Amino acid sequence: MAKENLVMEIKDFSFTYAGAEKPSLKKINLPIEENKITAMIGPSGCGKSTLLRAMNRIHDLYPGNKYEGKINLYKADGSKQNILDIKKENDFIKLRQEVGMIFQKPTPFPMSIFDNVAYGLRLSGIKNRSELEGRVEKALKGAAILDETKDRLKESALGMSGGQQQRLCIARAVALKPRVLLFDEPTSALDPFSTGAIEELIAELKEEVSVVIVTHNMQQASRLSDYTAFMYLGDLAEYDKTEKIFLNPTQKLTEDYITGRFG
Amino acid sequence: MMGGKLFRNFSFFSATLSFFLLVGIFAILFTYAQESMHEFGFDFLFNGTWEADEDDEGGIFGGFIPIIGTLLSTIIAMVIATPLAMGIAIFLTEIASEAIAKPVSIAIELLAAIPSIIYGMWGLFYFAPIVQSTVGGNGVGLLTAGIVLAIMIIPFMAAITRDSMNTTPLVLKESAYAMGATKFEVIKDVIMPYSKGGIIGSIILALGRALGETMAVAFLIGSVMSIPRNITDPTTSIPVLLANNFAEAQDLEMSSMYYLALILFVVSFFIITIAKFYFLGRKVK
């Protein structure tokens, strides 16, 4: 695992929720490879979503959580930043533009389709109308939703179907050209057809961006990801190439989980 | 069996009673206002004279001054109250920590429960002299009434707005933060649009309340039948005129007062209907 291929690196990372006695994550060490898809699997409460939410520090919207260790983000220019050092609002904003997030349920903002995608761009200071239009169109195309939306860009995003809304949310995140996209069970609220479309999209996205996806769906993890991390009770139980984890795991626990003996 | 039927009838009666009361009150206002409506017609709305003849049998009555007084005091109250109430609601939902938000919320709900006569007394004896010494005038007048009205409706407006802002899904706010939005941008772009219906509803309900407020305004507006030339001038409002004149009015004057009451009733009715059914009843997806 050569360093130059990493986009993020989690080192001895522990996390304790505000008011909790025991840490929810214990000394996690996990590399995130650039332009690959890393899946995080494990039973409910194992800490996979907690870890994901630490990677863009969305936890910090709520006060009192404790971080230990390091999460390094490698920039395009090769420099690295420990994101746990971030204290100023401006730096949080920069981090979240570089490390985007897609949630379990689609979260279109109460505004038009165009404005949803343009939102992050406008926040980042792009005002020029034609530049906005170009980037919105590119993002919609990138999220495979341009054909369905190009005639109704001015309509409210709330009128779209669930699957379309989720792809819109992906377009919205892609528009910012992030280094990393974090997906928190992005298809668990969707029907199988929409799920297929989203999976296809995520697979294409890795050309441009590194992906970390939390999923409860074993097939999804095995179909989609290049690397898989199996988490259990706040520990990283096993991490390896996805084929290795699913075909020949070293830990008994991992095997039991992926074969459905518990979970 | 018998008890069930009795209970059913009783609850049916209770439920329909409110409807009949509403219709009944409207019918009575409308009937008693007939004499004045025939005499003055729609000109009533634009006539600024309110004078009984010496023998008390007739006179010229127009609602212009109390209507203007009601509108102006309400507008002053709304202009002051709306931004403050929004600020309070935003502070409580998005900025304050739990330890501060809780006691402030309770204080706001208690403020909303204070009887209006207490606001009137406080306004007259304590606040009116302050207004007089800072902006001039007689102390009592439009401005004093408007400011105290604003103080009375702020808690009410803030509480409804806060409740409606609280319905914004957490994940929606998180996704805006995840796009790199600041707290201010999340409030402006996500929370405000999402709770727009509730915010407008609370403004309109507060408007209805300000229009109909009697006691506090009676203390503070001056109760003078004249058009205010200046924001600190005394004038009168519909509820105040009704409360002050009912005891001695007769015949045509009495009927004219019913006419005024009818106008207030219809306006308040529409305002509250719009607020309740259009803005507060509709749930945003």
Side-chain angles (χ1 to χ4, degrees), chain B residues 15-38:
Chain B
T16 43
L17 185 65
S18 52
F19 177 73
F20 282 112
L21 268 177
L22 186 70
V23 176
I25 289 173
F26 178 79
I28 299 247
L29 291 179
F30 192 76
T31 318
Y32 284 134
Q34 280 305 308
E35 192 184 342
S36 175
M37 287 167 99
H38 280 297

Side-chain angles (χ1 to χ4, degrees), chain B residues 25-103:
Chain B
I25 289 173
F26 178 79
I28 299 247
L29 291 179
F30 192 76
T31 318
Y32 284 134
Q34 280 305 308
E35 192 184 342
S36 175
M37 287 167 99
H38 280 297
E39 186 76 24
F40 304 115
F42 277 115
D43 288 345
F44 182 80
L45 301 177
F46 307 104
N47 183 349
T49 318
W50 189 279
E51 263 175 21
D53 290 344
E54 304 224 328
D55 55 7
D56 261 354
E57 298 232 316
I60 297 173
F61 302 102
F64 188 63
I65 294 170
I67 289 172
I68 286 294
T70 304
L71 289 178
L72 288 179
S73 57
T74 304
I75 289 170
I76 294 171
M78 297 306 291
V79 167
I80 298 171
T82 310
L84 285 173
M86 295 303 120
I88 293 171
I90 289 169
F91 177 77
L92 289 179
T93 50
E94 294 305 312
I95 297 168
S97 68
E98 185 94 335
I100 298 172
K102 263 244 168 79

Side-chain angles (χ1 to χ4, degrees), chain A residues 53 56 58 61-62 89 93 96-97 99-101 103 107-111 119-120 123 158 172-173 176, chain B residues 170-186 188-191 193-194 284-285:
Chain A
R53 289 164 64 86
N56 68 347
I58 203 88
L61 300 182
Y62 314 97
E89 190 175 34
I93 290 169
R96 288 167 189 158
Q97 287 172 342
V99 184
M101 190 166 212
F103 296 81
T107 54
F109 299 136
M111 47 179 91
Y119 186 68
L123 289 183
L158 301 180
R172 196 167 71 182
L176 287 169
Chain B
L170 215 53
V171 63
L172 202 61
K173 289 191 250 175
E174 286 184 356
S175 42
Y177 283 113
M179 306 284 303
T182 59
K183 186 161 261 182
F184 173 72
E185 285 157 346
V186 171
K188 173 170 71 80
D189 300 324
V190 177
I191 296 172
Y194 191 85
V284 189
K285 266 187 284 183

